[in-house]
Amino acid sequence: MNLILLGPPGAGKGTQAEVLQKRLNIPSISTGMLLRNAMEQGTQLGKEAKEYIAKGNLVPDVLVVNLLRERLSQSDTNNGFILDGFPRTCAQAELLDTICSIDKVLSLEVKDEEILKRLSGRRVCNRCGASYHTIYKPPKQDMVCDNCGAVLSIREDDKEETVLNRLTVYHSQTEPIKEYYRLRGKLYIAYGQEEVSDTTKEVLRVLGLE
Ligand SMILES: [Zn+2]
């Protein structure tokens, strides 16, 4: 199954992506992580991305899609993949349709005030990409990644002063994607619950994976 996870920042997409990854035995792919890896490894696309960022510009959609195209050519995606954090605009959704065929788009819906409550506890591992939450999904040892032992960090994006701005951007730029996929019969909506395990049940139910 080629799946997109959609939802506002803090909706719990990363956590559900991990569940679905195990359940479906397909990789969860974050374009942010792809970009960081490409820049670290100094690949051709990574070097190009670095130039844009150094000039204070956004990395163009076409470059991100080319990175994705490379990633999707790897054999672990033969049975499908989960995209987390991409596409974020209708233009990106259209570009994505030129390199692969998406089966389902899951929109994880959470109210803005709930998002604000959740984000302050979010922690991420910059080494392996695992995500945690001080309340909902604490690591076994405070601020240490269960998977790889790296020290966890708080993303700049999760800091409270940037959250409201991100929500505004989500509602104005990313949410219209739902209509794009709804029109193509690919949109599935799950409502985020207070307990992560309840959200997971809802996600699996909506996707017909119970
Ligand atoms: Zn880790």
Side-chain angles (χ1 to χ4, degrees):
M1 188 191 297
N2 297 346
L3 186 66
I4 290 172
L5 277 187
L6 212 59
K13 294 192 300 294
T15 304
Q16 297 307 323
E18 282 180 43
V19 169
L20 290 167
Q21 177 174 9
K22 282 176 195 150
R23 176 63 184 258
L24 296 166
N25 197 25
I26 55 179
S28 165
I29 298 169
S30 140
T31 51
M33 192 67 68
L34 281 184
L35 207 51
R36 279 192 292 277
N37 288 346
M39 290 193 289
E40 270 172 30
Q41 290 161 11
T43 65
Q44 184 58 40
L45 290 172
K47 281 179 196 160
E48 284 176 36
K50 244 182 186 166
E51 281 176 33
Y52 286 103
I53 291 168
K55 288 175 189 155
N57 295 320
L58 288 174
V59 176
D61 290 346
V62 172
L63 199 158
V64 176
V65 166
N66 280 333
L67 269 176
L68 253 183
R69 192 205 309 264
E70 272 182 11
R71 179 64 187 85
L72 298 183
S73 70
Q74 290 170 24
S75 60
D76 65 336
T77 66
N78 286 351
N79 293 324
F81 55 83
I82 301 160
L83 274 186
D84 176 8
F86 193 91
R88 283 189 176 161
T89 63
C90 288
Q92 290 176 349
E94 285 171 20
L95 261 179
L96 186 63
D97 277 343
T98 66
I99 64 158
C100 64
S101 148
I102 296 299
D103 299 310
K104 292 184 178 180
V105 177
L106 181 81
S107 176
L108 196 51
E109 313 257 329
V110 181
K111 291 196 180 104
D112 285 6
E113 56 261 37
E114 178 62 25
I115 297 284
L116 283 165
K117 255 194 277 173
R118 288 181 183 188
L119 279 177
S120 57
R122 199 149 91 157
R123 304 288 180 270
V124 292
C125 175
N126 288 329
R127 190 191 287 166
C128 75
S131 54
Y132 301 89
H133 194 283
T134 51
I135 298 160
Y136 303 112
K137 196 196 167 201
K140 291 191 184 81
Q141 195 184 337
D142 191 34
M143 289 307 276
V144 176
C145 180
D146 291 351
N147 291 345
C148 73
V151 174
L152 301 178
S153 55
I154 302 171
R155 299 195 315 166
E156 193 59 39
D157 280 356
D158 290 341
K159 290 180 180 159
E160 203 157 333
E161 61 269 29
T162 57
V163 171
L164 280 171
N165 182 42
R166 293 178 67 207
L167 284 170
T168 304
V169 171
Y170 180 78
H171 291 310
S172 64
Q173 293 185 11
T174 305
E175 223 162 11
I177 295 179
K178 290 197 309 197
E179 196 53 27
Y180 179 89
Y181 289 113
R182 193 198 310 275
L183 290 169
R184 288 157 178 79
K186 292 175 179 178
L187 184 70
Y188 296 77
I189 290 180
Y191 292 94
Q193 309 294 311
E194 256 180 50
E195 296 290 331
V196 174
S197 59
D198 291 336
T199 302
T200 298
K201 272 184 214 157
E202 176 71 358
V203 165
L204 296 176
R205 186 186 68 76
V206 165
L207 291 175
L209 297 169
E210 280 170 307

